[in-house]
Structure formats: structure tokens, C-alpha cells
Amino acid sequence: MEGWKKLLKSFGFGFQGIFYTIKTQRNMKIHLFVAIIVLLVFRLVSPPLIHVAIILIVIFLVFAFEMINTAIEVIVDMVSPEFHPLAKAAKDIAAGAVLTMAILSVIVGSILLLPDLWKKIAEIL
């Protein structure tokens, strides 16, 4: 039974990390908002399941990258409260990783959703 308690506790820590990132990071709120919009578009166009799976993977990768970026920022701020060029570089690189993933997510989403969305718009018009 002790193993299950440890497992549940570790899930709790994970959720705390997710909620901390949502609560403290503006960009995570933006990622969540865009993800909700994309999921609403799914409901409208009913894409193939493989497209849904790919988009969900990309969405969750953006979330994960944002959380890793947040962790790096928190650690850097803790160990280097004063400005240091290497601390800035670490934070900028982590932010660049999130930006790269976000750009990829827009490209993948456009490739997979836009054709179905245009068809749906054409049907309505």
C-alpha cells in the first residue's frame, strides 16, 4: 500500500507544477486559450482521429516545454538573483525552445486543420 501512496503523492506534485505554471505564467494561459480554440475547431470540422492525436501531442508538447521553461527560469532566479549574462542566456534559450515548439504547433495545426476548416466554411456558404 505504501507504493500507491507514493505514486499518488507524486501525481499531486505534478499537478501542483501544472497549476503553478498556469497561475504564474502569462504564456501558459495563452497556450491554454489557443488549445481550447483548436479543440472547439475540432468539434466543428470533425477531422480524422490521427489528426486529432497529432494535434493533441503537439498541444501537450507546448505545455511541457512551457513548464520546463518555467522550471529553468525559477532555478536561474534562485541561484542568480542579480543579472548575469549566462543566467540571461539560459532563460533566453529556454524561452526560444518554447517559441520553436509553438511555431511548430501552428504549422502542424495549419496543415492538419485548415483544409477541413475551409471545407466546412464552404459548406456553410
Side-chain angles (χ1 to χ4, degrees):
M1 213 49 176
E2 186 64 31
W4 285 107
K5 286 181 184 179
K6 280 186 174 182
L7 180 64
L8 289 175
K9 198 171 188 178
S10 69
F11 275 105
F13 293 144
F15 282 113
Q16 286 177 18
I18 292 168
F19 296 138
Y20 176 88
T21 307
I22 294 167
K23 191 168 96 173
T24 63
Q25 302 301 305
R26 180 192 71 226
N27 287 347
M28 185 61 144
K29 292 176 183 134
I30 293 168
H31 298 316
L32 276 170
F33 176 76
V34 171
I36 290 167
I37 298 299
V38 169
L39 294 174
L40 290 173
V41 170
F42 277 172
R43 297 280 311 204
L44 178 68
V45 301
S46 300
L49 283 179
I50 188 67
H51 291 186
V52 174
I54 293 168
I55 295 290
L56 288 173
I57 289 167
V58 172
I59 286 171
F60 279 86
L61 280 171
V62 171
F63 293 165
F65 273 59
E66 186 63 48
M67 287 183 279
I68 291 167
N69 177 53
T70 300
I72 289 169
E73 288 180 355
V74 167
I75 291 168
V76 168
D77 289 345
M78 183 179 66
V79 300
S80 183
E82 294 85 34
F83 176 82
H84 190 284
L86 292 177
K88 179 186 181 326
K91 291 170 90 170
D92 290 350
I93 292 164
V98 177
L99 179 59
T100 301
M101 191 63 229
I103 291 168
L104 176 64
S105 72
V106 170
I107 293 168
V108 170
S110 297
I111 290 168
L112 296 180
L113 286 177
L114 284 180
D116 292 331
L117 185 58
W118 294 135
K119 285 179 196 172
K120 193 63 154 181
I121 291 171
E123 288 173 11
I124 294 170
L125 301 175

